[in-house]
Amino acid sequence: MFKAFLIKYAEIGLKGKNRYLFENALCDRIAEVLKPLGLYNVYKEQGRVFVECPDNFDYEETVEAMQRVFGISSICPVVVIDDTDWEILTKGVGDYVDAMYPDKNITFKVMAKRADKNYPLTSPDICKEMGDYLLRRFPELKVDVREPEVRINVEVRKKSYVYSIVIPGPGGMPVGTNGKAMLLLSGGIDSPVAGYMISKRGVAMAAVYFHAPPYTSERAKQKVVDLAKKISGYTGKMRLYVVNFTDIQLEIYEKCPHDELTIIMRRYMMRIAERFAEKENCLGLVTGESIGQVASQTMHSLASTNEVCSMPVYRPLVAFDKKDIVDVAIKIDTYDTSIQPYEDCCTIFVAKHPVTKPNLKKIRNSELRLGEYINELVDTAIKTVEIIEIE
Ligand code: ATP
Ligand code: MG
């Protein structure tokens, strides 16, 4: 019975003069996720976004696609009544209730909105008159204005709209309305969640993965590509930079104290990520780090990886417990991919007893042992990067 959806958005309604930019970005993103499913018509009208569906559209598939669009607070399947004439409107709303709740064994309340302030009835009038009409037509119905089982929403605009199902959207803000960031994406549980969370605030994403063949396999890389695909389900198209990090790691392994390996490697990852971030016009880096989770994520370690970049580093999981991160990973369906047991470039070269309180001066000194040659290796890694366009 539904051929359209009314889309509600939350925070983007608060953006004052720039509001239309947010609304347009939201419409564009909805159109983008629906495009592969058929010919939908997405448009905005007076603080609402409407989606008109093609004949024979798949309801579940359409809802699922829109549940990945940041900026949507709720998705309401709606019946459009082509007129605002009171008699046609009441009959239409009655027919809706009849079809949706055939046994009529419900308590209800009518909620009304009118966009046209010249409409002969005020919103409270519409609620009352419509409620009376429904009770006359279906005497089995019961009114409950405090906690109704069903809220019959009636909106009178150029046409009239009736809905009573409200499906939650993901919230957040439309991707691209808040610039772009570079995500350091490993194959683990944390970084995909970090990317999702920052993107949810309206930030477009690019990603970089440090690959160390032959120590890390093709399958480990494929896992990262799979994770990038999952994230791009929310963020839209995303460019993934795959950096060959092997020679840099081997060089650090040869020249630097082994207990500092992870920290120094991390510092090189950040430096290289920042170079790609500049190229992509990103305004920050994103990592999945969380205080104290492992030796390389103590406050001391974070300070030491932080100092090599001049861009802000966003760490949305910084105060999350592992369990809470896992919950989000399950919700966004990255968990099962993340736990596939492929080696990760950091675990291979990891020391038995890594420093947990790296001393900045000491780390800088250790890096001096790498000499000019490390910069050549970094340049080569940047030049030979593989770029994968994730759709
Ligand atoms: P994750 O689950 O995201 O891998 P983790 O708990 O395994 O995190 P670390 O391995 O210490 O933690 O990595 C910390 C952060 O550094 C990751 O969240 C990620 O942002 C980045 N990182 C680590 N390894 C790589 C890699 N090979 N390529 C890209 N980024 C990486
Ligand atoms: Mg990891």
Side-chain angles (χ1 to χ4, degrees), residues 43 46 90 97 111-112 158 190 198-199 215 262 273 283 312 328 358-359:
Y43 62 94
Q46 294 167 310
T90 46
V97 171
M111 320 262 289
K158 282 178 199 136
D190 306 331
I198 293 294
S199 190
Y215 303 99
T262 314
L283 298 168
V328 183
N359 174 297

Side-chain angles (χ1 to χ4, degrees), residues 186-191 266 297 344 346-347:
S186 69
I189 295 170
D190 306 331
S191 43
R266 252 316 118 61
Q297 296 178 26
D344 147 345
C346 310
T347 50

Side-chain angles (χ1 to χ4, degrees), residues 45-310:
E45 192 189 285
Q46 294 167 310
R48 291 272 191 253
V49 168
F50 291 98
V51 175
E52 284 172 4
C53 308
D55 294 339
N56 305 324
F57 77 104
D58 185 317
Y59 179 89
E60 301 292 334
E61 206 175 57
T62 305
V63 170
E64 267 171 36
M66 291 194 288
Q67 280 182 310
R68 290 195 307 266
V69 176
F70 294 137
I72 294 183
S73 68
S74 36
I75 302 164
C76 312
V78 71
V79 166
V80 183
I81 301 162
D82 279 328
D83 213 302
T84 58
D85 173 81
W86 182 248
E87 235 166 74
I88 299 176
L89 177 58
T90 46
K91 177 168 184 312
V93 173
D95 292 349
Y96 173 90
V97 171
D98 198 18
M100 282 293 290
Y101 308 100
D103 66 7
K104 312 288 176 303
N105 189 16
I106 52 162
T107 58
F108 81 102
K109 168 184 182 177
V110 177
M111 320 262 289
K113 265 210 174 82
R114 52 169 199 169
D116 174 7
K117 296 297 167 208
N118 293 322
Y119 192 71
L121 295 166
T122 63
S123 300
D125 290 342
I126 298 176
C127 293
K128 181 169 184 315
E129 299 291 325
M130 187 64 76
D132 289 348
Y133 167 83
L134 290 172
L135 286 173
R136 277 198 306 277
R137 182 161 161 193
F138 308 112
E140 317 90 293
L141 292 177
K142 279 190 202 74
V143 172
D144 182 342
V145 287
R146 288 222 179 77
E147 275 184 65
E149 285 155 358
V150 176
R151 286 164 209 266
I152 311 285
N153 293 273
V154 178
E155 296 198 3
V156 183
R157 300 168 177 277
K158 282 178 199 136
K159 298 175 181 176
S160 308
Y161 301 84
V162 49
Y163 65 92
S164 56
I165 300 174
V166 179
I167 304 163
M173 293 187 220
V175 170
T177 54
N178 253 325
K180 190 177 188 182
M182 178 63 72
L183 170 66
L184 281 87
L185 180 62
S186 69
I189 295 170
D190 306 331
S191 43
V193 171
Y196 167 89
M197 286 178 65
I198 293 294
S199 190
K200 188 173 170 200
R201 300 306 301 164
V203 181
M205 282 291 147
V208 54
Y209 165 58
F210 296 90
H211 189 39
Y215 303 99
T216 54
S217 63
E218 271 304 299
R219 297 187 67 185
K221 172 176 147 189
Q222 186 56 45
K223 173 175 153 181
V224 174
V225 172
D226 292 344
L227 287 170
K229 279 188 188 147
K230 297 256 180 190
I231 301 169
S232 78
Y234 295 91
T235 62
K237 282 184 212 129
M238 185 164 91
R239 187 168 289 157
L240 173 65
Y241 290 82
V242 179
V243 179
N244 186 326
F245 202 51
T246 314
D247 292 344
I248 295 171
Q249 271 186 312
L250 290 173
E251 180 69 7
I252 299 171
Y253 191 72
E254 208 181 295
K255 307 267 169 70
C256 300
H258 287 186
D259 62 347
E260 292 171 4
L261 274 183
T262 314
I263 295 290
I264 295 176
M265 259 168 34
R266 252 316 118 61
R267 283 162 63 97
Y268 276 93
M269 285 186 185
M270 302 299 267
R271 288 179 174 115
I272 295 172
E274 189 170 36
R275 298 269 290 269
F276 292 122
E278 281 160 6
K279 206 179 123 199
E280 285 277 331
N281 296 320
C282 293
L283 298 168
L285 302 175
V286 180
T287 75
E289 290 161 314
S290 162
I291 296 174
Q293 202 187 75
V294 285
S296 58
Q297 296 178 26
T298 61
M299 287 288 276
H300 298 75
S301 302
L302 291 174
S304 130
T305 43
N306 203 57
E307 84 151 351
V308 299
C309 359
S310 53

